[in-house]
């Protein structure tokens, strides 16, 4: 098996899909690993360390794509300005791709169609099911941990106020109020970070167990009024709700939005477009100077007007739609990510070849394109809409 590790080309993306440590594991397993020159520099993993681990350093991304059977990436394929071609166009029929594709997100539909047309067998890391045997492959959980921590720090930097209460000679300043919407892994880490910074914290999640966890971390719970049987899908995930219930959720959130300084959005439904929980009208009612951090942006975002990949001020509110927040912690996030992707690849590779058992729960959940077809359920549903 020849495995290719290209340098990420998304602006500001410093992560890489393999470390010298995981390269050594692949080589020990019998693989040949091709690493594009400088691929790990942004996360402080150097070419000399990859060479020491047994990798071959390749001068160009084009050559990495040409020679590899399996491509491991961090972010979805993008347009490569150096070659004036999309990264998918650098790939070849029958090649395997493992990365975060976020295929259900409308912004990625053309890219997914191109993967199918090119005959690429693509597997998306955001589809890894949260089951016990897939825990060490779950890059989404690892990256959510990073995004929760760093996302709150971004909000703190963007705020025009202190987060903790301050007692000064001219009077006291109350603590900032932070609302976490979606208390999964990222939301819980955001909640814990906001609490450590001294904020008054609020949390909203349609799943009773998630709300209980938030309460245990000291958050005041905003009851969204969704019955548990409607809220919880298989595996404890949030369920995709009908529009009438989304509207009810928005009405429950509207009063608290008028009071808070930071809203951290991380409500996701696996394999689906993220639910829109903050409309533009709701943002207009938020205090000027408040901040929305929308880490659900890769799947469309929880806020209707979050700018994908950017930070903008709209209606006096700073909207942070940065798509690669974990990339702002490149050393830690790369270390976690590279182990997740190694464990998934090792699970799929048998005797030097990838074998896809399409009845297997993990394979079924992550497979996006194969045999020239799009087969990912959430993507097909999103495309019909």
């Amino acid at each position: 098996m020849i495995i290719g590790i290209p340098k990420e080309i998304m602006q500001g993306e410093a992560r890489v899909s393999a470390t010298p440590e995981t390269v050594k594991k692949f080589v020990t397993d019998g693989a040949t690993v091709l690493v594009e020159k400088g691929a790990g520099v942004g996360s402080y993993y150097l070419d000399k360390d990859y060479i020491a681990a047994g990798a071959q350093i390749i001068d160009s991304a084009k050559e990495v794509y040409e020679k590899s059977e399996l491509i491991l990436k961090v972010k979805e394929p993008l347009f490569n300005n150096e070659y004036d071609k999309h990264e998918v166009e650098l790939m070849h029929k029958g090649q395997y791709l493992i990365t975060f594709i976020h295929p259900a997100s409308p912004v990625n539909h053309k890219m997914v169609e191109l993967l199918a047309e090119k005959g690429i067998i693509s597997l998306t890391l955001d589809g890894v099911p949260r089951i016990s045997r897939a825990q060490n492959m779950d890059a989404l959980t690892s990256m959510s941990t990073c995004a929760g921590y760093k996302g709150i720090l971004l909000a703190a930097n963007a705020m025009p106020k202190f987060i903790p209460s301050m007692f000064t000679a001219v009077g006291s300043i109350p603590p900032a109020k932070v609302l976490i919407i979606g208390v999964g892994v990222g939301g819980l880490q955001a909640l814990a970070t906001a609490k450590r910074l001294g904020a008054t914290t609020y949390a909203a999640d349609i799943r009773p167990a998630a709300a209980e966890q938030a309460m245990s971390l000291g958050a005041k719970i905003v009851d969204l009024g969704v019955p548990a049987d409607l809220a919880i899908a298989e595996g404890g995930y949030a369920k995709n709700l009908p529009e009438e219930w989304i509207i009810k959720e928005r009405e429950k959130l509207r009063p608290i939005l008028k009071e808070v300084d930071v809203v951290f959005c991380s409500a996701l439904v696996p394999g689906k477009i993220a639910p829109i929980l903050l409309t533009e009208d709701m943002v207009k009612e938020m205090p000027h100077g408040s901040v929305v951090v929308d880490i659900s942006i890769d799947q469309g975002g929880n806020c209707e007007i979050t700018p994908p990949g950017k930070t903008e001020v709209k209606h006096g509110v700073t909207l942070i739609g940065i798509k690669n927040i974990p990339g702002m912690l490149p050393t830690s996030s790369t270390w976690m990510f590279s182990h997740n992707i190694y464990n998934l690849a090792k699970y799929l590779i048998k005797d030097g070849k990838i074998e896809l058992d399409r009845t297997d729960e993990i394979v079924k959940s992550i497979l996006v394109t194969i045999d020239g077809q799009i087969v990912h359920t959430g993507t097909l549903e999103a495309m019909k809409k």
Side-chain angles (χ1 to χ4, degrees):
M1 173 66 66
I2 302 173
I3 298 171
I5 312 294
K7 187 173 184 177
E8 296 297 319
I9 60 171
M10 177 180 277
Q11 187 176 0
E13 179 56 80
R15 288 173 294 174
V16 63
S17 59
T19 62
E21 186 180 350
T22 57
V23 163
K24 189 173 182 178
K25 290 184 176 187
F26 278 123
V27 171
T28 301
D29 293 342
T32 297
V33 183
L34 311 179
V35 178
E36 184 183 351
K37 185 178 180 181
V41 168
S43 48
Y44 302 95
Y45 297 105
L46 306 180
D47 288 350
K48 66 181 179 66
D49 299 319
Y50 286 108
I51 292 168
Q56 296 175 32
I57 299 298
I58 305 297
D59 284 339
S60 71
K62 189 169 181 287
E63 190 178 347
V64 171
Y65 282 107
E66 281 173 357
K67 291 183 173 179
S68 302
E69 297 166 78
L70 166 63
I71 294 291
L72 302 181
K73 274 179 52 59
V74 179
K75 298 301 290 184
E76 70 272 17
L78 300 166
F79 190 83
N80 189 314
N81 290 316
E82 182 183 349
Y83 298 109
D84 199 31
K85 282 184 175 180
H86 200 282
E87 284 183 305
V88 176
E89 294 177 282
L90 297 173
M91 300 179 72
H92 52 82
K93 186 176 181 180
Q95 197 167 41
Y96 290 85
L97 168 69
I98 302 177
T99 187
F100 278 118
I101 298 173
H102 302 289
S105 180
V107 72
N108 291 328
H109 288 177
K110 282 188 179 177
M111 177 265 292
V112 172
E113 287 168 351
L114 188 56
L115 284 168
E117 285 168 22
K118 285 283 288 185
I120 311 302
I121 302 125
S122 62
L123 303 117
T124 187
L125 292 165
D126 51 292
V128 173
R130 281 183 178 151
I131 55 177
S132 56
R133 66 192 176 94
Q135 277 184 332
N136 67 357
M137 312 169 194
D138 189 356
L140 188 60
T141 289
S142 296
M143 296 306 98
S144 294
T145 298
C146 298
Y149 167 79
K150 191 68 172 180
I152 290 297
L153 298 185
L154 290 173
N157 280 335
M159 277 178 61
K161 301 159 125 183
F162 291 114
I163 283 192
S165 58
M166 301 292 280
F167 300 95
T168 77
V170 290
S172 62
I173 300 172
K177 295 178 179 177
V178 175
L179 168 65
I180 311 295
I181 301 176
V183 199
V185 175
L188 284 172
Q189 187 59 237
L191 179 56
T193 304
K195 198 75 182 171
R196 285 194 291 266
L197 290 173
T200 298
T201 52
Y202 300 81
D205 198 295
I206 60 175
R207 299 163 298 170
E212 280 176 27
Q213 285 181 300
M215 196 185 301
S216 73
L217 288 175
K220 298 173 184 178
I221 302 304
V222 179
D223 183 7
L224 297 175
V226 179
D229 60 326
L230 268 182
I232 306 166
E234 190 180 343
Y237 291 106
K239 210 182 249 184
N240 207 21
L241 295 178
E243 184 63 20
E244 65 194 83
W245 282 100
I246 299 286
I247 291 167
K248 288 176 184 177
E249 280 190 80
R250 290 175 190 151
E251 291 311 307
K252 294 280 188 178
L253 289 169
R254 193 181 287 269
I256 188 70
L257 288 173
K258 295 175 184 179
E259 299 177 22
V260 296
D261 301 291
V262 174
V263 181
F264 183 90
C265 299
S266 62
L268 291 171
V269 178
K272 313 284 185 186
I273 299 169
I276 299 292
L277 299 175
L278 274 69
T279 63
E280 184 166 11
D281 283 344
M282 293 163 76
V283 173
K284 285 178 181 177
E285 294 174 359
M286 291 178 65
H288 280 212
S290 56
V291 180
V292 173
V293 179
D294 195 346
I295 72 162
S296 299
I297 194 65
D298 274 323
Q299 286 176 230
N302 292 142
C303 175
E304 184 179 34
I305 57 171
T306 303
K310 294 187 284 185
T311 298
E312 290 180 4
V313 178
K314 297 180 182 179
H315 311 300
V317 176
T318 300
L319 299 161
I320 298 175
I322 295 170
K323 282 188 145 199
N324 59 334
I325 292 175
M328 302 172 90
L329 286 168
T331 302
S332 294
S333 59
T334 287
W335 184 84
M336 296 170 78
F337 180 91
S338 64
H339 282 83
N340 292 138
I341 206 168
Y342 167 76
N343 290 327
L344 177 57
K346 187 173 175 65
Y347 179 78
L348 298 174
I349 297 170
K350 307 282 188 283
D351 299 321
K353 293 191 179 298
I354 289 183
E355 291 182 12
L356 298 179
D357 175 3
R358 292 176 66 176
T359 65
D360 178 82
E361 186 177 357
I362 296 170
V363 173
K364 213 164 30 173
S365 300
I366 65 176
L367 188 59
V368 179
T369 59
I370 191 169
D371 299 328
Q373 302 292 318
I374 299 167
V375 296
H376 187 264
T377 305
T379 305
L380 293 170
E381 286 175 9
M383 285 178 168
K384 284 176 188 171
K385 286 178 184 175

